[in-house]
Amino acid sequence: MQLIKQHIERDGSGTITLKPEDPEDMWYAYNLIQPTDLLKAQALRRVTTTSATGSTSSTRMHITLLIRVRSTDFDPQASTLHVSGQIAAETPHAKIGQFHTLDLELQRNFTLEKAEGWDSVAREVVKEACESGSKRMGAWAVVMQEGEAAIVGLGGERTVVRARVKVDVPRKKGGRGHDKGLEKFFQTLLDTLLRHVDLAEALPVLLASPGFTAGLFQKFIMETATRTGNKALLAQKGSFLVVHSSSGNVHALNEVLQSPEVQARLKDTRYTRETKLMDDFMTLLRKDDGRAWYGPKEVEMAVEKGAVGRGGGVLLISNGLFRAQDVAIRKRWVKLVDKVKDDEGGEVRVLSSEHESGKRLEGLGGIAAILTFPLADLDQDSEEEENGEEAEPNGATNIETI
């Protein structure tokens, strides 16, 4: 994402203009744009004109529209974002109040004004979105089998399939046709990989497959680099890691990422750090020593008691909570994040709902905390606050529901 222009006042009001440059940027835009925000972008709109004789004609025109957002629709597979709302500024071809859906596109600017101002969470999303690719992309993976492969980018927010390669390879192994088909497949895959991967960033590249396909592809890469004198590719020999997967389907990637060998290689990436945080949380939860709590009321009470601060306190919160349609709900979580970071000095980790760690957190209500000191009976305290209403505790003792 490229930051084109920013004008934000001290009270948080103002606008930011951004330009999406790759598919993952649409995910960041989806996490930024909320109902009641003002969004300005180019649109393709059908315009009907009436001539002096009374005849009408209809044409489609590119115009710039400002809409008051009502809803967003994000397609994670295609990385497309559709934003619906009502036109907020009249143009020669559109009246205020008319409904329109803006389709945000790559390489086209959009300008956003937050209805409730630019809070700390929204500004952090912009900051992450505008980071360089090497910071946002933690690693690459190629999940393959003979004749088919998917090139996947392991980003800070989610995993994105950047390309798919399919080449017919005769099934009869050992024959000339099979060997030539496999070589063509490897060459096509390598060419596609090099179009997406910046070798200068020296990020890990996982090669995963059942059987020996991944190992053969790694050998092909090095032989090709030697034959063509590609020094940049030869220098990245240590970046390639061959791992076994149960299938060549991209869904096998989760299994690959759980292997100790891969986690050791990716230890410095955001994905692995957040996975470890969730593992640490679950370990403490099973110990039942009062240092791990989950659930909105329990975590808020722990923060109020100063237990999520300096010295090891960590607030884990899903970015899905900040996409709440109700502005008051979003403000509730932003206030909690600011209190932990600014007042208590604790650590805040906003986990992506598209990553495995974020999905585990969403199973716990989307919010959890590791405490600096143990607290007991937070679940009982929250029940008392609800005037004795019966509610199943979801604190440190409720392990069997995970």
Side-chain angles (χ1 to χ4, degrees), residues 355-369:
H355 272 174
E356 189 65 26
S357 56
K359 291 175 181 177
R360 292 165 67 189
L361 182 61
E362 286 195 330
L364 301 175
I367 187 167

Side-chain angles (χ1 to χ4, degrees), residues 80 103 115 119 153-154 170 217 227 278 348 350 374 381:
T80 55
D103 299 325
D119 56 45
L154 306 179
F217 180 53
R227 187 180 71 254
M278 280 304 300
V348 176
V350 181
D381 292 343

